[in-house]
């Protein structure tokens, strides 16, 4: 059914690019419209652990496992659990089966693997979505740079703040109670040497007073971090912080994490740092909508959730895998039936994973978060 149809994927993250690859293998005519100016844009965010049944399986079906294992980071999943006073509570070095089931890769290399697997010209850069209208069963799409496109099928892969989702459903996201301030410290050996040494190529999870601080080493020599705080949904607007001004963000951190060891302030000492505030949302567990015949969504656009279970990229890549299978399944009589089958199984899966993620979010921001996480890992190793 996907053949002889022009398919537009809005968004060139891991989900959108995986879907494009899988559809091209099946002979589909597909374009990916991405708002980044080009492939060289800096990719922020922590490393990604791909799961056997979802992210890795999608790459297996895409024929890209060899490229993945040539670029993944052995040992990047090792974890050091600490308290706010920088006392190490546990070092967890990954049991062998988890290394196999959840290998880690930086976002940039994963994106490059997927991009290089696509036919030339598949990704149309500098294409920030503005609007689209349907005319005679085709979508006419407008982009910020003045260009336009026509497609028979549109798949929204445009993330947590999807502009296409409202064309599918009016269901609004629910605030989780946690807001993250994401930071990236470039050249961490020079700009955060003590913390970079503590990271030792892996991750640090630090907890105290119902707050979290999660650090990840990256293969390019940078480190990323997330602060997690319980604040009102309106905090971001009411804080008055200019997050492009490092000094303002640092002043907030020194106040909010004022009882924490001074070593954590090293995150703000260097010159090459960037910050993004991210209130954490999720969709209702029982969300449903009426299927459309030529429009659907994958990834965060469909089921955004906090990052505290490592499921976001895996869910997006599994969405891509399942949607591509449904669109090419000749047993479905119509495109609408194929999309309906995909959405039904996706929504059931998303509800289960969202619930698990919210439970993890609650655990990691409890007063006894460190001891609960340590107990969880001890239980895992016993089994």
């Amino acid at each position: 059914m996907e053949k002889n149809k022009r398919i537009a994927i809005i968004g060139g993250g891991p989900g959108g690019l995986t879907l494009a690859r899988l559809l091209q293998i099946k002979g589909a005519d597909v374009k990916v419209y991405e708002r980044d100016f080009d492939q060289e844009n800096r990719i922020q965010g922590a490393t990604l652990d791909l799961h056997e049944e979802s992210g890795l399986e999608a790459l297996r079906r895409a024929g890209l496992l060899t490229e993945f294992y040539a670029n993944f980071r052995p040992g990047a999943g090792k974890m050091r659990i600490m308290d706010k006073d920088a006392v190490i509570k546990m070092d967890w070095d990954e049991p062998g089966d988890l290394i196999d089931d959840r290998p880690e890769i930086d976002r940039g290399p994963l994106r490059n693997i997927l991009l290089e697997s696509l036919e030339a010209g598949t990704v149309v850069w500098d294409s920030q979505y503005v609007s689209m209208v349907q005319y005679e069963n085709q979508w006419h799409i407008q982009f910020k740079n003045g260009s336009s496109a026509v497609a028979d099928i549109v798949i929204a892969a445009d993330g947590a703040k999807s502009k296409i989702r409202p064309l599918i459903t009016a269901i609004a996201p629910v605030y989780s109670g946690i807001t993250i301030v994401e930071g990236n410290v470039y050249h961490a050996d020079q700009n955060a040497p003590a913390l970079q040494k503590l990271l030792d190529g892996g991750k640090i999870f630090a907890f105290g007073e119902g707050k979290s601080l999660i650090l990840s080493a990256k293969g390019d020599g940078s480190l990323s971090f997330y602060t997690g705080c319980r604040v009102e949904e309106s905090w971001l607007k009411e804080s008055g912080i200019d997050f492009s001004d490092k000094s303002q963000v640092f002043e907030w951190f020194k106040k909010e994490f004022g009882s924490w060891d001074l070593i954590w302030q090293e995150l703000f000492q260097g010159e090459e740092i960037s910050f993004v505030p991210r209130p954490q949302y999720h969709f209702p567990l029982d969300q449903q909508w009426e299927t459309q015949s030529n429009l659907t969504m994958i990834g965060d656009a469909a089921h955004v959730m906090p990052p505290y279970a490592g499921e976001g990229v895996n869910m997006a890549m599994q969405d891509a895998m399942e949607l591509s299978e449904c669109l090419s399944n000749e047993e479905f009589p119509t495109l609408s039936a194929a999309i309906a089958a995909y959405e039904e199984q996706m929504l059931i899966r998303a509800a289960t994973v969202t619930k698990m993620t919210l439970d993890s979010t609650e655990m990691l921001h409890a007063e006894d978060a460190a001891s609960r996480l340590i107990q969880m890992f001890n239980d895992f190793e016993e089994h």
Side-chain angles (χ1 to χ4, degrees):
M1 285 182 295
E2 83 282 2
K3 294 181 179 177
N4 304 315
K5 300 283 187 182
R6 288 174 291 182
I7 302 176
I9 300 170
I10 310 299
L17 295 176
T18 300
L19 179 59
R21 166 66 176 177
L22 292 170
L23 288 173
Q24 283 188 345
I25 289 174
K26 299 175 186 297
D29 177 5
V30 59
K31 294 285 187 184
V32 178
Y33 297 94
E34 166 56 40
R35 68 181 181 180
D36 281 354
F37 185 75
D38 58 29
Q39 186 176 343
E40 303 307 314
N41 273 47
R42 250 177 177 172
I43 305 296
Q44 296 185 345
T47 55
L48 304 168
D49 58 313
L50 298 193
H51 303 173
E52 175 61 35
E53 73 284 358
S54 48
L56 286 179
E57 181 61 24
L59 289 180
R60 183 176 292 109
R61 297 188 189 189
L64 298 174
L65 273 186
T66 298
E67 290 81 355
F68 172 80
Y69 282 110
N71 288 274
F72 88 119
R73 291 182 52 224
K78 64 184 176 183
M79 183 185 300
R80 176 162 277 171
I81 300 173
M82 305 178 69
D83 65 15
K84 69 185 185 70
D85 299 316
V87 176
I88 298 171
K89 296 296 186 179
M90 180 182 184
D91 280 338
W92 191 68
D93 294 326
E94 298 181 298
D97 57 347
L98 201 64
I99 291 176
D100 295 334
D101 289 347
R102 295 192 171 191
E104 303 245 354
I105 190 169
D106 288 342
R107 293 167 186 264
L110 177 60
R111 188 188 210 189
N112 289 338
I113 290 168
L114 292 165
L115 286 171
E116 290 165 9
S117 75
L118 299 175
E119 297 170 7
T122 299
V123 178
V124 185
W125 300 98
D126 188 27
S127 298
Q128 183 173 342
Y129 171 89
V130 173
S131 64
M132 66 182 191
V133 295
Q134 191 167 201
Y135 179 70
E136 294 183 349
N137 294 321
Q138 289 185 320
W139 289 104
H140 294 249
I141 313 164
Q142 297 293 323
F143 301 102
K144 188 176 181 179
N145 64 7
S147 65
S148 61
V150 177
D152 300 295
I153 306 169
V154 172
I155 295 117
D158 54 339
K161 296 181 180 179
S162 172
K163 291 185 177 180
I164 299 175
R165 180 183 165 95
L167 298 176
I168 300 173
T169 176
I171 297 172
V174 179
Y175 179 57
S176 70
I178 301 295
T179 288
I180 282 171
V181 175
E182 175 186 342
N184 275 269
V185 181
Y186 303 101
H187 304 292
D189 280 341
Q190 290 79 42
N191 292 317
L195 289 174
Q196 182 77 334
K197 184 177 181 180
L198 270 175
L199 273 170
D200 190 26
K203 291 179 168 61
I204 290 173
F205 278 52
F207 304 102
E209 302 174 327
K211 301 165 189 170
S212 66
L213 183 56
I214 300 174
L215 285 65
S216 297
K218 298 168 71 174
D220 63 0
S222 65
L223 72 81
S224 65
F225 68 90
Y226 301 117
T227 69
C229 299
R230 291 186 184 276
V231 294
E232 295 296 323
E233 184 176 11
S234 59
W235 174 81
L236 184 57
K237 291 182 179 179
E238 295 174 354
S239 70
I241 300 170
D242 176 0
F243 284 89
S244 67
D245 183 341
K246 184 188 75 171
S247 63
Q248 290 189 35
V249 183
F250 192 15
E251 287 304 313
W252 163 79
F253 183 84
K254 286 189 289 186
K255 180 180 179 181
E256 188 67 27
F257 290 77
S259 67
W260 287 47
D261 191 90
L262 294 178
I263 192 174
W264 306 113
Q265 295 184 14
E266 190 180 52
L267 294 169
F268 298 82
Q269 303 300 323
E271 294 302 318
E272 293 183 88
I273 309 174
S274 62
F275 304 101
V276 181
R278 300 191 188 281
Q280 295 301 299
Y281 289 90
H282 64 90
F283 288 109
L285 301 185
D286 60 350
Q287 65 169 336
Q288 298 284 333
W289 55 78
E290 185 176 347
T291 294
Q292 298 190 38
S293 62
N294 58 359
L295 176 63
T296 189
M297 53 187 167
I298 66 172
D300 284 352
H303 43 60
V304 68
M305 61 190 73
Y308 297 109
E311 290 288 351
V313 70
N314 288 285
M315 288 284 285
M317 294 174 76
Q318 187 167 352
D319 290 347
M321 179 172 66
E322 293 180 358
L323 179 56
S324 67
E325 289 297 319
C326 287
L327 290 177
S328 60
N329 189 334
E330 296 179 356
E331 294 182 5
F332 294 119
T334 63
L335 273 172
S336 183
I339 292 173
Y342 154 71
E343 290 182 344
E344 180 181 10
Q345 63 193 16
M346 177 268 290
L347 287 170
I348 293 171
R349 172 168 49 85
T352 300
V353 175
T354 300
K355 176 62 166 63
M356 178 190 70
T357 298
L358 294 177
D359 290 344
S360 179
T361 302
E362 184 65 25
M363 178 186 75
L364 296 181
H365 296 90
E367 290 294 328
D368 57 348
S371 60
R372 291 173 67 176
L373 185 60
I374 290 168
Q375 184 61 51
M376 186 183 78
F377 284 126
N378 287 336
D379 291 345
F380 177 86
E381 290 182 329
E382 289 175 4
H383 293 88

